[in-house]
Amino acid sequence: MNELVNTGIAGLDEVLHGGIPRNNNLLVEGPPGSGKTTFGLGFIYHGAVDYDEPGAIVSFELDPAKLLRDAAGFNWDLQGMIDQGKIKIIQTSPAVLLSEFRNEDSAFAAALVAMGAKRLLIDGLTPLRLYAEVNDMPFREDVHLLIESLTRLGVTTMVTAEKDESLGAVLAHERFVFDTIISLTFEEARRRVHRRLTVLKSRGQDFIGGSHTMRIEPQVGVHVYRRAQSRPVASPDQPTSEERLSTGSPAIDQMMDGGIYKGSVTLVSGISGTGKTVLSVQFLTNAIKTGHKALLVSLDEHPRQLIRNARSLGFDLEGLVDSGELFIHYESPLELELDVHFDRIVKLVEREQIDCVVFDSIAVYEMTSRGEVADYLYALASFFKNRLATTLFNYESPELLGVSQISEELKGSHLVDNIILLNYVEISTVLRRALAVPKVRGSRNLQVTREYAIGVGGLLLMEESGDAAQAVPQLPFSSYYGLLSRSPSRQSPLVEEAVATGAPLPGSTHPRTEKTW
């Protein structure tokens, strides 16, 4: 009885910590169209094919031809299993089956014994209950008899049941009889259907509670993606490192007291066009030069566009992808599901042993599921920290500093170890870019605002001197205060004296790019 039975349904055994106890009786409930029949069909088919456990399917409403058609849609050779005697389809009526339950020497039980059945699907419980109610029959007793007889036969049984307002929910006493209850639901959000699976109870075992994403996929059938937040911690001691990785810019590294700690999470926040993606590419390409494997998770731009834009700045992303040193994972925000997305990233990182990752941009997660994004980001950060992988989260913020929005809406500022702010500053009629590093855990970061340009090589910080003349004075940042407010005030004695005395204004200067490449 303590033996676990693999369900064969992709991802479900992971939620059930390996499977269900043998001879447990499962109730799978859900509204019409939630995937109950496909769920049960996969349980029977994979049991026969993958685990050599013959199974029977009892159907009241679908004839065998339709079941065969549905199985063929997933490329399952159900007819082949029937021909081999591994699967048997029994189409009957509730009246006949209920009478079989009451008969100790029933032909139904004999058929299961003859084929050596280990699994049984009854699709579904609702027709049985409705028939019993119409004919004033003691259905509660019949359910108990059903469970007892199947337990004696050593059959692990799955029963489907409708859960619909018009039919009424599964009755409480029926729920008590079953050892395991799985609820399937689906909802429409933003004109997309999201399916969910929840294990409500399972006697004799622990399982991962909560709502998990479920999909019905080609060639697979039902695929369960456990919720991202349920990932176990590999060790109670989080790994740390004294090693630092370069951002790709020695000048920015200096502002961060030597670079980014290996295994840390850095948030790069800024308005669109300030160079968040450029800094990410700069970081990843430099990490690859020092022997790391890198992943760029792109949610804003298609890989081809990324590669083209990076080429204009001197980065050969296509060559790095071809060499297997860089991976670019792209998913359209329109069809993004967080649990599925997380599962794909985790498998890619583990398979390729990737240790430097950029997410561009996590604002897409907020758009996809505002209510789940905070927990999801925490799950991401925890996973990569436990692997000692260095991670960058890009976040597009239309706000002044981008810090309060991250704290209030994403609840993410406490998750990250470092924060790099990129911003625009308007001085006279010219937009200039400003960079600040307000947070670097475990470091003495420079609390200064520096001007930068975007050019070949990435983000290039400026020196605070120059002699290029312009029509309107363009002074170094050191001549102003309140830069990050986007409305800086001038702080230049020379200019103020010229304005007061009517003397000519001093010549404009244009900061020079630091030669960091």
Side-chain angles (χ1 to χ4, degrees), residues 130-200:
L130 293 177
Y131 175 82
E133 291 175 354
V134 169
N135 293 276
D136 197 24
M137 299 171 65
F139 182 63
R140 183 173 183 175
E141 296 178 9
D142 289 331
V143 172
H144 282 280
L145 287 173
L146 162 68
I147 299 301
E148 289 175 3
S149 61
L150 294 176
T151 300
R152 287 195 302 271
L153 291 171
V155 179
T156 304
T157 306
M158 178 180 292
V159 180
T160 67
E162 296 287 348
K163 186 178 182 182
D164 185 83
E165 293 181 0
S166 62
L167 297 173
V170 178
L171 299 180
H173 68 262
E174 296 172 13
R175 284 166 163 262
F176 289 132
V177 171
F178 289 91
D179 303 301
T180 302
I181 300 178
I182 296 176
S183 176
L184 308 184
T185 59
F186 68 94
E187 60 182 5
E188 184 175 330
R190 297 170 61 195
R191 298 193 295 176
R192 290 177 294 170
V193 173
H194 296 276
R195 301 179 186 273
R196 301 295 175 113
L197 176 147
T198 304
V199 181
L200 300 180

Side-chain angles (χ1 to χ4, degrees), residues 309-329:
N309 295 345
R311 188 183 301 116
S312 68
L313 297 175
F315 299 110
D316 181 17
L317 297 188
E318 190 167 22
L320 295 176
V321 170
D322 291 342
S323 66
E325 298 169 289
L326 172 67
F327 297 85
I328 301 179
H329 180 82

Side-chain angles (χ1 to χ4, degrees), residues 68-352:
L68 290 169
R69 178 201 62 192
D70 293 345
F74 301 110
N75 203 27
W76 296 344
D77 185 14
L78 185 60
Q79 184 62 57
M81 291 294 100
I82 294 174
D83 295 341
Q84 295 178 37
K86 295 290 187 68
I87 293 178
K88 186 179 184 65
I89 298 178
I90 303 172
Q91 187 179 20
T92 185
S93 67
V96 172
L97 190 63
L98 287 175
S99 65
E100 289 289 303
F101 292 160
R102 299 187 188 95
N103 187 353
E104 293 184 0
D105 299 322
S106 69
F108 178 76
L112 295 182
V113 172
M115 70 177 298
K118 296 295 183 183
R119 304 187 183 205
L120 173 66
L121 169 65
I122 300 178
D123 188 31
L125 186 67
T126 304
L128 286 171
R129 176 162 61 87
L130 293 177
Y131 175 82
E133 291 175 354
V134 169
N135 293 276
D136 197 24
M137 299 171 65
F139 182 63
R140 183 173 183 175
E141 296 178 9
D142 289 331
V143 172
H144 282 280
L145 287 173
L146 162 68
I147 299 301
E148 289 175 3
S149 61
L150 294 176
T151 300
R152 287 195 302 271
L153 291 171
V155 179
T156 304
T157 306
M158 178 180 292
V159 180
T160 67
E162 296 287 348
K163 186 178 182 182
D164 185 83
E165 293 181 0
S166 62
L167 297 173
V170 178
L171 299 180
H173 68 262
E174 296 172 13
R175 284 166 163 262
F176 289 132
V177 171
F178 289 91
D179 303 301
T180 302
I181 300 178
I182 296 176
S183 176
L184 308 184
T185 59
F186 68 94
E187 60 182 5
E188 184 175 330
R190 297 170 61 195
R191 298 193 295 176
R192 290 177 294 170
V193 173
H194 296 276
R195 301 179 186 273
R196 301 295 175 113
L197 176 147
T198 304
V199 181
L200 300 180
K201 78 169 186 178
S202 192
R203 292 191 184 114
Q205 69 174 139
D206 190 16
F207 56 87
I208 302 174
S211 174
H212 308 275
T213 297
M214 187 187 99
R215 282 187 169 184
I216 298 178
E217 299 176 344
Q219 313 299 319
V220 177
V222 169
H223 193 158
V224 180
Y225 296 87
R226 68 169 177 165
R227 57 186 178 87
Q229 297 88 337
S230 68
R231 301 287 160 174
V233 177
S235 169
D237 296 324
Q238 180 180 289
T240 57
S241 173
E242 297 292 331
E243 179 185 346
R244 288 185 186 258
L245 276 68
S246 173
T247 60
S249 166
I252 299 177
D253 294 344
Q254 184 180 10
M255 294 178 67
M256 302 184 73
D257 196 24
I260 302 173
Y261 275 122
K262 180 180 179 181
S264 65
V265 178
T266 301
L267 180 69
V268 182
S269 178
I271 307 172
S272 179
T274 49
K276 300 181 296 297
T277 304
V278 175
L279 180 59
S280 300
V281 171
Q282 192 172 355
F283 163 70
L284 292 179
T285 53
N286 188 81
I288 290 171
K289 290 178 183 177
T290 55
H292 296 274
K293 264 194 173 183
L295 168 64
L296 175 57
V297 180
S298 177
L299 304 169
D300 291 331
E301 291 186 85
H302 190 275
R304 299 312 306 173
Q305 183 172 311
L306 269 172
I307 291 172
R308 180 203 64 191
N309 295 345
R311 188 183 301 116
S312 68
L313 297 175
F315 299 110
D316 181 17
L317 297 188
E318 190 167 22
L320 295 176
V321 170
D322 291 342
S323 66
E325 298 169 289
L326 172 67
F327 297 85
I328 301 179
H329 180 82
Y330 171 78
E331 288 191 52
S332 170
L334 297 177
E335 299 296 332
L336 193 67
E337 290 185 279
L338 295 184
D339 293 338
V340 180
H341 179 67
F342 189 94
D343 184 78
R344 291 170 178 170
I345 291 171
V346 164
K347 288 178 179 176
L348 176 59
V349 167
E350 292 177 340
R351 182 177 69 248
E352 302 296 339

Side-chain angles (χ1 to χ4, degrees), residues 398-411:
E399 194 195 33
L400 168 59
L401 298 180
V403 174
S404 62
Q405 184 177 10
I406 297 163
S407 300
E408 293 174 8
E409 297 188 12
L410 289 181
K411 305 293 188 296

